[in-house]
Amino acid sequence: MHILGISAYYHDSAACLVRDGEVLAAAQEERFTRRKHDHRFPARAVEFCLRHGGIGPDQLDFVAFYDKPLLKFERLLETYIDYAPRGLRSFLMAMPLWLREKLWIREQVSKEAGFRGKVLFTEHHESHAASAFFPSPFERAAVLTMDGVGEWATSSYGYGRGNELHLLKELHFPHSLGLLYSAFTYYTGFKVNSGEYKVMGLAPYGEPRYVRTILDELVDLREDGSLRLNMKYFDFAAGLTMTNGRFDQLFGGPPRRPESEVTQREMDLARSVQEVTEEAMLRMARHAHRETGEKNLCLAGGVALNCVGNGRILREGPFERIWIQPAAGDAGGSLGAALSVWHQYLGNERRVEEVCRGGSDGMRGAYLGPKFTDDEIEEFLLTVGANYRRAGRGGLAEAVARLLADEKVVGWFQGRMEFGPRALGARSILGDPRSPRMQSQMNLKIKFRESFRPFAPSVLRERVADFFELDCDSPYMLLVAPVREHLRVPMTEGEERLFGIEKLNVPRSAIPAVTHVDFSARIQTVRREDHPLYHELLSAFGRLTGCPVLVNTSFNVRGEPIVCTPAEAYACFMRTEMDALALGPYVLLKEEQGASALAEDHSWQEEFQLD
Ligand SMILES: [Fe+2]
């Protein structure tokens, strides 16, 4: 039986194919259309999923859509009526798309995907909860979803057992932890729905000066983690912006203009909202624990991408183990919707051994996207006249490890593309974390940005505890933990006085390129069974240097989605100062490539700005 899951029309549209309960394929639409966070109907992602499954649309048994448009529409209308006549402009702006597409999902599925069978709808938070529990490695667990907003719910908790999932309680719009965070994302001058992780990265530079103001004025945070926003300060319910003039007054000025200089004030605001968010996350987790009595916790929803908060739940919360859906945002809703139909609507059994099928969980390491055969890659390399050599059997990891140990920056394109926002060793740019130059070199010469965030490390699962204060799986880079104390380098008094990004250039540890100013790191642990080749590379690099850790950043430049095809990877390689590229078994060295039209096209470097 084939079920196609779809999420669309808000942010990060995606499709997912489930066959007899197994997740076969999943991808975000942006990777195919090359439009970042593409929210349109995921026609290309659907096409990929069907192709991967070797079926046509008529062989699908069900299509599952990740939320209930009518309920969402009702929420929209009720909110507008509540605020009328304010909000008329945003109402008029939103309506055409609703009336043309969003309310006609069945028609869209038939038109865009050619499917004429049964389309089922799950509620937004059910989809998130299902994406958190069903692919998890737990027979039973508490489930917590934290988000901006779906239909009405902004957050929910419950429990999963076997093939059952029960949500016990919901928090309703407009009271939302995700929207509170987004309000500060907007106010500090970043893009709502994608700049949140920048706010998180900025937080360690600031002081929690505004925590009291936030808790006294903006949000009533209760013991059980539920909250009420004081809507006097927010404009997202009816207006076109997140915050209003009263918010400006409270925090002493207008929002930072996007792309203008980041000051201490933004850093303090980031630190403050981050602390409040962590506190809310911890309270919600404790409450879910009290109410369900479960030992394990599953998380999803956009706020579950807050890996600093997740790290605190792991360390301080009452749960023994936590598992986080890698596509915790709305893309993962497609997967949750499809699995929900399989287990809940159709009542199919769920057994953990079957979910994991030899891997760590039901996500196959999140390597669920397209892959390309060696022949396809070589054919492409021949057409562009690239200079390459093929690594011998078992030689690829050794060869690339040597390049990396030589401080070369290497594009690494291997196997199936990742599902979710992070590159996990299939579409990654890699470097040596021990190098004090690596951080700025990768940012300026390859990603064309300056950054106040360090890169994230990949590390062998079996060696993670030697480098970080963490001794469990973190396969999806969704947990932050400190670098081990003996590896840290304390700051001198003079260095302490440096401001913002200058501080980042002070080496904080023996692996400076992946250590944040507060000694934290956003960790990906790699197991052999999830990605044998990437595991082999980390092992080879470890043998060579004693450090089985690599800098892992996504294979793209600023403002672009992560690369999907060999052609996109090659273009990115040629247009940046990346030193080498491993495209499947083929290794390309930059110095051996001839002059290329691509290399001379610097138009996309104009985007050079603070990221
Ligand atoms: Fe969501």
Side-chain angles (χ1 to χ4, degrees), residues 116-136:
R116 285 175 185 80
K118 193 157 188 162
V119 180
L120 298 165
F121 299 83
T122 48
E123 275 186 37
H124 193 95
H125 275 255
E126 276 170 17
S127 302
H128 278 315
S131 80
F133 176 64
F134 291 131
S136 79

Side-chain angles (χ1 to χ4, degrees), residues 227-532:
L227 50 91
R228 285 191 73 79
L229 297 184
N230 184 349
M231 293 309 291
K232 202 169 94 180
Y233 294 103
F234 299 93
D235 232 12
F236 59 76
L240 295 171
T241 58
M242 293 298 294
T243 59
N244 61 23
R246 284 198 210 101
F247 193 101
D248 298 354
Q249 259 173 16
L250 192 61
F251 294 102
R256 180 180 74 96
R257 263 184 306 110
E259 313 299 349
S260 68
E261 203 190 329
V262 173
T263 67
Q264 190 62 43
R265 182 165 160 265
E266 283 78 36
M267 297 177 185
D268 294 344
L269 287 162
R271 173 73 182 269
S272 306
V273 73
Q274 177 65 28
E275 282 206 0
V276 170
T277 301
E278 287 170 24
E279 184 56 35
M281 290 171 79
L282 283 168
R283 287 187 192 188
M284 283 186 193
R286 281 186 215 124
H287 184 69
H289 182 260
R290 269 195 305 271
E291 296 293 305
T292 64
E294 294 295 335
K295 285 188 293 205
N296 302 319
L297 173 67
C298 298
L299 293 171
V303 179
L305 294 171
N306 194 312
C307 39
V308 180
N310 297 342
R312 282 195 63 189
I313 293 180
L314 180 68
R315 281 191 300 279
E316 300 169 37
F319 289 98
E320 281 173 23
R321 291 169 69 196
I322 72 175
W323 189 85
I324 309 148
Q325 163 58 239
D330 282 354
S334 60
L335 193 138
L339 288 175
S340 179
V341 166
W342 174 253
H343 288 300
Q344 296 202 275
Y345 181 78
L346 298 168
N348 285 297
E349 242 189 275
R350 172 181 175 273
R351 280 206 306 276
V352 168
E353 318 82 73
E354 265 173 46
V355 167
C356 297
R357 287 168 223 264
S360 315
D361 55 48
M363 293 299 294
R364 297 170 180 248
Y367 308 111
L368 293 165
K371 69 169 182 219
F372 297 84
T373 64
D374 295 354
D375 287 348
E376 285 169 326
I377 296 173
E378 185 160 34
E379 200 185 306
F380 164 76
L381 290 172
L382 289 170
T383 39
V384 291
N387 220 329
Y388 63 91
R389 70 201 89 176
R390 188 185 172 114
R393 189 182 287 268
L396 181 67
E398 293 294 334
V400 172
R402 270 198 304 278
L403 288 167
L404 289 164
D406 210 17
E407 279 191 292
K408 300 281 190 264
V409 177
V410 183
W412 177 255
F413 181 102
Q414 306 292 343
R416 298 184 67 181
M417 182 178 72
E418 301 88 344
F419 181 50
R422 303 271 96 90
L424 300 167
R427 301 288 185 277
S428 292
I429 300 173
L430 307 175
D432 183 346
R434 302 166 309 151
S435 162
R437 317 184 295 126
M438 199 45 68
Q439 159 82 27
S440 63
Q441 194 185 333
M442 285 175 86
N443 266 323
L444 300 181
K445 295 187 172 174
I446 287 131
K447 307 281 280 197
F448 301 128
R449 65 180 187 191
E450 262 192 283
S451 184
F452 45 78
R453 293 173 296 136
F455 290 105
S458 296
V459 58
L460 290 180
R461 167 65 186 93
E462 50 274 35
R463 296 287 307 278
V464 62
D466 297 343
F467 293 85
F468 306 99
E469 287 174 14
L470 183 85
D471 199 5
C472 64
D473 288 316
S474 175
Y476 306 121
M477 251 182 211
L478 286 171
L479 289 172
V480 162
V483 170
R484 288 284 305 268
E485 205 153 352
H486 70 276
L487 298 170
R488 298 181 194 173
V489 181
M491 267 197 213
T492 63
E493 229 170 84
E495 288 166 347
E496 285 285 5
R497 278 196 296 273
L498 290 173
F499 178 74
I501 192 162
E502 294 161 356
K503 263 191 187 165
L504 191 64
N505 296 324
V506 178
R508 307 298 343 257
S509 78
I511 41 174
V514 294
T515 310
H516 213 331
V517 282
D518 57 358
F519 298 111
S520 66
R522 183 161 53 84
I523 301 160
Q524 180 198 4
T525 56
V526 180
R527 279 177 183 263
R528 185 186 300 279
E529 53 267 41
D530 290 330
H531 201 312

